[in-house]
Short mmCIF file of all heavy atoms in Angstrom, two decimals:
data_model
loop_
_atom_site.label_atom_id
_atom_site.label_comp_id
_atom_site.label_asym_id
_atom_site.label_seq_id
_atom_site.Cartn_x
_atom_site.Cartn_y
_atom_site.Cartn_z
N MET A 47 -38.11 17.10 28.27
CA MET A 47 -38.28 15.85 27.35
C MET A 47 -39.46 15.51 26.71
O MET A 47 -39.52 15.00 25.72
CB MET A 47 -37.83 14.64 28.30
CG MET A 47 -36.31 14.59 28.80
SD MET A 47 -35.21 14.66 27.42
CE MET A 47 -35.73 13.12 26.61
N ARG A 109 -19.98 0.13 4.81
CA ARG A 109 -18.89 0.00 5.50
C ARG A 109 -18.82 -1.35 6.42
O ARG A 109 -17.81 -2.08 6.57
CB ARG A 109 -18.56 1.12 6.51
CG ARG A 109 -17.36 1.16 7.29
CD ARG A 109 -17.11 2.38 8.09
NE ARG A 109 -18.23 2.68 9.00
CZ ARG A 109 -18.44 3.64 9.79
NH1 ARG A 109 -17.50 4.58 9.76
NH2 ARG A 109 -19.41 3.76 10.59
N SER A 126 -10.12 -4.14 0.52
CA SER A 126 -9.32 -3.52 -0.39
C SER A 126 -9.50 -2.06 -0.54
O SER A 126 -10.69 -1.69 -0.46
CB SER A 126 -9.40 -4.26 -1.77
OG SER A 126 -8.68 -3.57 -2.78
N PRO A 139 -24.05 10.04 -5.97
CA PRO A 139 -25.36 10.58 -6.27
C PRO A 139 -26.23 10.86 -5.11
O PRO A 139 -27.15 11.75 -5.35
CB PRO A 139 -26.00 9.38 -7.15
CG PRO A 139 -24.93 8.71 -7.60
CD PRO A 139 -23.88 8.60 -6.58
N LYS A 148 -16.53 17.33 -4.43
CA LYS A 148 -15.33 17.11 -3.59
C LYS A 148 -14.89 15.76 -3.56
O LYS A 148 -13.77 15.43 -3.64
CB LYS A 148 -15.60 17.78 -2.28
CG LYS A 148 -14.35 17.72 -1.34
CD LYS A 148 -14.68 18.27 -0.03
CE LYS A 148 -13.45 18.38 0.92
NZ LYS A 148 -13.67 18.95 2.25
N ARG A 157 -3.53 9.84 -5.82
CA ARG A 157 -3.48 9.13 -4.53
C ARG A 157 -4.45 8.16 -4.46
O ARG A 157 -4.25 7.08 -3.60
CB ARG A 157 -3.52 10.14 -3.40
CG ARG A 157 -2.24 11.13 -3.32
CD ARG A 157 -2.50 12.06 -2.16
NE ARG A 157 -1.39 12.92 -2.05
CZ ARG A 157 -0.34 12.73 -1.37
NH1 ARG A 157 -0.18 11.58 -0.78
NH2 ARG A 157 0.69 13.63 -1.29
N PRO A 163 -7.79 -0.24 -14.61
CA PRO A 163 -9.25 -0.13 -14.53
C PRO A 163 -9.88 -1.46 -13.85
O PRO A 163 -9.15 -2.48 -13.70
CB PRO A 163 -9.66 -0.01 -15.92
CG PRO A 163 -8.55 -0.59 -16.69
CD PRO A 163 -7.31 -0.40 -15.99
N ASP A 177 -2.84 -3.24 1.04
CA ASP A 177 -3.59 -2.74 2.20
C ASP A 177 -2.96 -3.26 3.42
O ASP A 177 -2.94 -2.54 4.50
CB ASP A 177 -5.00 -2.96 2.01
CG ASP A 177 -5.64 -2.27 0.84
OD1 ASP A 177 -5.25 -1.10 0.62
OD2 ASP A 177 -6.45 -2.88 0.18
N PRO A 216 0.85 8.68 10.27
CA PRO A 216 0.38 9.78 9.59
C PRO A 216 0.85 11.12 10.20
O PRO A 216 0.85 11.23 11.51
CB PRO A 216 -1.20 9.77 9.64
CG PRO A 216 -1.46 8.27 9.90
CD PRO A 216 -0.19 7.75 10.70
N ARG A 223 -0.58 6.90 19.71
CA ARG A 223 -1.69 6.07 19.16
C ARG A 223 -1.29 4.89 18.42
O ARG A 223 -1.91 3.83 18.43
CB ARG A 223 -2.59 7.02 18.43
CG ARG A 223 -3.34 8.16 19.26
CD ARG A 223 -4.29 8.98 18.43
NE ARG A 223 -5.32 8.20 17.82
CZ ARG A 223 -6.31 8.63 16.95
NH1 ARG A 223 -6.21 9.95 16.68
NH2 ARG A 223 -7.16 7.76 16.51
N LEU A 264 22.44 -15.21 5.16
CA LEU A 264 23.42 -14.22 4.58
C LEU A 264 24.05 -14.71 3.28
O LEU A 264 24.19 -13.99 2.31
CB LEU A 264 24.46 -13.75 5.57
CG LEU A 264 25.39 -12.70 5.06
CD1 LEU A 264 24.55 -11.45 4.78
CD2 LEU A 264 26.46 -12.34 6.16
N PRO A 265 24.56 -15.92 3.21
CA PRO A 265 25.01 -16.53 1.95
C PRO A 265 24.11 -16.49 0.80
O PRO A 265 24.48 -16.03 -0.36
CB PRO A 265 25.46 -17.94 2.31
CG PRO A 265 25.68 -18.07 3.69
CD PRO A 265 24.68 -17.03 4.21
N SER A 266 22.83 -16.82 0.99
CA SER A 266 21.85 -16.59 -0.13
C SER A 266 21.68 -15.19 -0.59
O SER A 266 21.41 -14.85 -1.70
CB SER A 266 20.54 -17.36 0.10
OG SER A 266 19.95 -16.76 1.34
N ASP A 311 33.86 -11.37 -3.65
CA ASP A 311 32.56 -11.13 -4.33
C ASP A 311 32.28 -9.59 -4.67
O ASP A 311 31.81 -9.34 -5.73
CB ASP A 311 31.41 -11.57 -3.53
CG ASP A 311 31.40 -13.15 -3.31
OD1 ASP A 311 31.92 -13.87 -4.16
OD2 ASP A 311 31.10 -13.57 -2.17
N LEU A 333 25.91 -18.14 -12.48
CA LEU A 333 24.84 -17.35 -11.88
C LEU A 333 24.16 -16.58 -13.11
O LEU A 333 23.07 -15.96 -12.73
CB LEU A 333 25.45 -16.41 -10.85
CG LEU A 333 26.07 -16.88 -9.60
CD1 LEU A 333 26.52 -15.81 -8.69
CD2 LEU A 333 25.01 -17.80 -8.91
N LEU A 338 13.57 -17.31 -15.76
CA LEU A 338 12.74 -17.65 -16.94
C LEU A 338 13.44 -18.80 -17.74
O LEU A 338 12.75 -19.72 -18.27
CB LEU A 338 12.66 -16.46 -17.94
CG LEU A 338 11.42 -15.52 -17.54
CD1 LEU A 338 11.45 -14.33 -18.46
CD2 LEU A 338 10.01 -16.23 -17.60
N ARG A 348 4.54 -23.54 -20.41
CA ARG A 348 4.00 -22.54 -19.53
C ARG A 348 4.62 -21.23 -19.82
O ARG A 348 4.12 -20.11 -19.78
CB ARG A 348 4.12 -22.88 -17.99
CG ARG A 348 3.77 -21.97 -17.02
CD ARG A 348 3.95 -22.42 -15.58
NE ARG A 348 5.37 -22.46 -15.40
CZ ARG A 348 6.11 -21.39 -15.01
NH1 ARG A 348 5.63 -20.27 -14.79
NH2 ARG A 348 7.44 -21.55 -14.70
N PRO A 358 1.49 -6.52 -34.89
CA PRO A 358 0.42 -5.66 -35.29
C PRO A 358 -0.10 -6.17 -36.66
O PRO A 358 0.76 -6.36 -37.57
CB PRO A 358 1.02 -4.29 -35.30
CG PRO A 358 2.43 -4.42 -35.43
CD PRO A 358 2.75 -5.76 -34.81
N GLU A 397 13.62 -6.64 -29.65
CA GLU A 397 14.73 -7.19 -28.83
C GLU A 397 14.99 -6.29 -27.58
O GLU A 397 15.14 -6.81 -26.47
CB GLU A 397 15.99 -7.28 -29.64
CG GLU A 397 15.99 -8.39 -30.66
CD GLU A 397 15.11 -8.04 -31.92
OE1 GLU A 397 14.87 -6.66 -32.06
OE2 GLU A 397 14.63 -8.77 -32.77
N ASN A 444 0.32 -9.05 -19.23
CA ASN A 444 -0.50 -9.21 -18.15
C ASN A 444 -0.59 -10.69 -17.59
O ASN A 444 -1.20 -11.00 -16.59
CB ASN A 444 -2.01 -8.71 -18.49
CG ASN A 444 -2.48 -9.35 -19.74
OD1 ASN A 444 -1.91 -10.21 -20.29
ND2 ASN A 444 -3.68 -8.95 -20.11
N ARG A 461 2.91 -12.96 -11.17
CA ARG A 461 1.64 -13.73 -11.11
C ARG A 461 1.90 -15.23 -10.73
O ARG A 461 1.26 -15.77 -9.84
CB ARG A 461 0.90 -13.67 -12.49
CG ARG A 461 0.06 -12.43 -12.58
CD ARG A 461 -0.68 -12.59 -13.95
NE ARG A 461 -1.66 -11.41 -14.11
CZ ARG A 461 -2.89 -11.36 -13.77
NH1 ARG A 461 -3.41 -12.53 -13.14
NH2 ARG A 461 -3.62 -10.35 -14.08
N ALA A 463 4.18 -16.52 -8.98
CA ALA A 463 4.58 -16.76 -7.64
C ALA A 463 3.39 -16.76 -6.61
O ALA A 463 3.75 -17.09 -5.41
CB ALA A 463 5.68 -15.65 -7.19
N TYR A 464 2.25 -16.40 -6.87
CA TYR A 464 1.14 -16.31 -6.04
C TYR A 464 -0.08 -17.20 -6.46
O TYR A 464 -0.11 -17.47 -7.79
CB TYR A 464 0.54 -14.89 -5.90
CG TYR A 464 1.55 -13.93 -5.13
CD1 TYR A 464 2.58 -13.22 -5.85
CD2 TYR A 464 1.33 -13.67 -3.77
CE1 TYR A 464 3.48 -12.44 -5.14
CE2 TYR A 464 2.23 -12.82 -3.19
CZ TYR A 464 3.26 -12.16 -3.88
OH TYR A 464 4.12 -11.36 -3.11
N LYS A 473 7.58 -19.58 0.32
CA LYS A 473 7.86 -18.43 1.33
C LYS A 473 9.34 -18.60 1.93
O LYS A 473 9.66 -19.70 2.29
CB LYS A 473 6.92 -18.49 2.43
CG LYS A 473 5.38 -18.25 2.13
CD LYS A 473 4.50 -18.11 3.26
CE LYS A 473 3.06 -17.78 2.76
NZ LYS A 473 2.18 -17.70 3.85
N ASP A 474 9.95 -17.57 1.87
CA ASP A 474 11.35 -17.47 2.47
C ASP A 474 11.20 -17.54 4.04
O ASP A 474 10.16 -17.09 4.53
CB ASP A 474 12.05 -16.08 1.94
CG ASP A 474 13.48 -16.01 2.48
OD1 ASP A 474 14.32 -16.61 1.72
OD2 ASP A 474 13.82 -15.51 3.52
#
Side-chain angles (χ1 to χ4, degrees):
M47 292 302 299
R109 184 174 58 181
S126 174
K148 186 177 180 180
R157 293 180 178 272
D177 295 321
R223 294 183 58 185
L264 188 59
S266 62
D311 301 321
L333 295 179
L338 279 176
R348 183 181 64 83
E397 289 75 17
N444 54 3
R461 277 183 176 268
Y464 290 82
K473 295 184 178 182
D474 189 87

